[in-house]
Amino acid sequence: LNIAPASQIALRVAARDVFYSDYTLGADPVDHAPFLDAAVVRSTYRGARVVYFGFELRDVASDAWNRQVVRVLTRNAALWAAGETVASLAAWPNGYRSAAVIAQDVEASFANARHALDSLDAMGVRSTFFVTSNLAKDHRRLTRAMLAAGEVATHSENHALLGGSPFERQLERLESTRRDLGDLLQQDVYGLRPPEEQFDVETMRAWLAAGGAYLLGANDTRCASPELLRLKGDTLVLLPRAFADDFAAAGPDYRRAPHLVTRIMRADVRRAKAVHGLYVLSYH
């Protein structure tokens, strides 16, 4: 939600339902002002429900999308204050406040995944390996070792882009890669990471039709938690990569010093924990 530079209403509380942030979900007050913290807070006062907006509603950017969002926001606030349940956030299981996924794209230089297997095994950490099935068939033993170390999912059959192609073509490709990996592993695969994170509605529909269940990819930092996307009577789980992958962290020409890459990724972990979200360590 874009708020025009104007007179934000001073508000600072320990807990908030909506916070000010930059496009990377950094939970920062507006212009780092010490008296601004929460964008929206809900609470009770003498038994009555209260919703407080930390910005002037008339200062929301005037384009149609932002206006529609603020209409929904104010409608939901009024319904909540009236005691009407419209939606709720599901908590992480077992009392956890956030979660993490380690995901490797195994494509070119396929055999390098052996180094990841050794490191993960030494740490006792499980991982998901998104493999291109044409190369997986040439590295059968290594692919089966990945399954023993966690989960094997598909990165398509040949790393060609999916989104933009007709539904029938995408379905054909996704059925093929899922069938080949199923034959190799002797069990079904359910996850898809589209090549270059490029996908569309037809990709999601085709993956469900092929028997898949979830997709991992960037969601324009819309949120940092798993989403349930309704698609013509079915539901797809989207695991969003809301923070930097190894390419982004390594910087232009991948020349950023290792200690700086470490600093960037640790900061992303802190942000994911701050917003109770999902941190995806995505690397190649």
Side-chain angles (χ1 to χ4, degrees):
L1 185 68
N2 292 316
I3 302 173
S7 53
Q8 279 81 13
I9 301 170
L11 183 63
R12 187 165 181 81
V13 293
R16 67 267 198 207
D17 290 279
V18 180
F19 56 88
Y20 296 108
S21 79
D22 58 19
Y23 71 96
T24 65
L25 298 185
D28 292 325
V30 177
D31 294 328
H32 304 284
F35 53 84
L36 289 173
D37 187 295
V40 179
V41 169
R42 56 179 174 156
S43 185
T44 57
Y45 179 73
R46 295 182 178 178
R49 289 185 169 196
V50 179
V51 179
Y52 190 99
F53 288 87
F55 57 91
E56 169 58 61
L57 293 176
R58 290 171 294 187
D59 290 338
V60 173
S62 60
D63 60 89
W65 189 90
N66 281 278
R67 289 299 183 185
Q68 179 61 24
V69 170
V70 80
R71 277 194 291 269
V72 172
L73 192 63
T74 51
R75 179 203 66 188
N76 289 349
L79 288 171
W80 183 85
E84 297 289 337
T85 301
V86 291
S88 62
L89 290 175
W92 290 106
N94 302 320
Y96 287 104
R97 293 169 62 84
S98 57
V101 169
I102 298 177
Q104 182 181 17
D105 289 358
V106 191
E107 41 192 71
S109 303
F110 195 98
N112 285 343
R114 169 55 62 188
H115 301 303
L117 284 173
D118 293 341
S119 298
L120 292 164
D121 180 63
M123 293 184 293
V125 174
R126 297 178 69 78
S127 175
T128 296
F129 300 89
F130 292 93
V131 303
T132 50
S133 51
N134 59 346
L135 294 177
K137 290 189 292 185
D138 295 333
H139 299 81
R140 293 174 179 266
R141 182 177 299 178
L142 178 54
T143 304
R144 293 190 182 104
M146 293 176 196
L147 181 62
E151 177 193 20
V152 173
T154 184
H155 197 35
S156 82
E157 81 283 25
N158 60 6
H159 205 260
L161 297 181
L162 285 162
S165 300
F167 169 81
E168 292 76 12
R169 174 57 181 152
Q170 294 196 51
L171 177 60
E172 178 185 10
R173 292 182 57 195
L174 293 174
E175 286 180 333
S176 172
T177 184
R178 191 168 185 268
R179 180 175 59 251
D180 289 345
L181 288 175
D183 292 344
L184 193 161
L185 301 169
Q186 293 300 296
Q187 71 174 52
D188 290 330
V189 298
Y190 295 102
L192 166 67
R193 180 162 165 78
E196 299 184 20
E197 297 186 320
Q198 194 260 15
F199 61 96
D200 56 17
V201 173
E202 300 306 310
T203 310
M204 296 187 286
R205 288 184 54 230
W207 183 232
L208 284 172
Y214 79 87
L215 183 151
L216 186 147
N219 68 343
D220 297 326
T221 324
R222 179 172 57 247
C223 72
S225 61
E227 297 183 83
L228 301 179
L229 304 180
R230 300 287 184 182
L231 293 163
K232 293 189 176 179
D234 209 339
T235 303
L236 179 78
V237 179
L238 174 62
L239 301 182
R241 183 187 65 77
F243 305 99
D245 64 1
D246 55 346
F247 284 144
D253 298 323
Y254 321 125
R255 293 174 182 263
R256 189 170 282 144
H259 74 279
L260 296 177
V261 175
T262 300
R263 184 184 302 171
I264 290 169
M265 289 189 158
R266 284 181 171 172
D268 281 348
V269 171
R270 288 194 295 271
R271 277 197 287 270
K273 292 173 70 175
V275 300
H276 300 189
L278 174 72
Y279 175 69
V280 177
L281 173 58
S282 172
Y283 68 104
H284 296 73

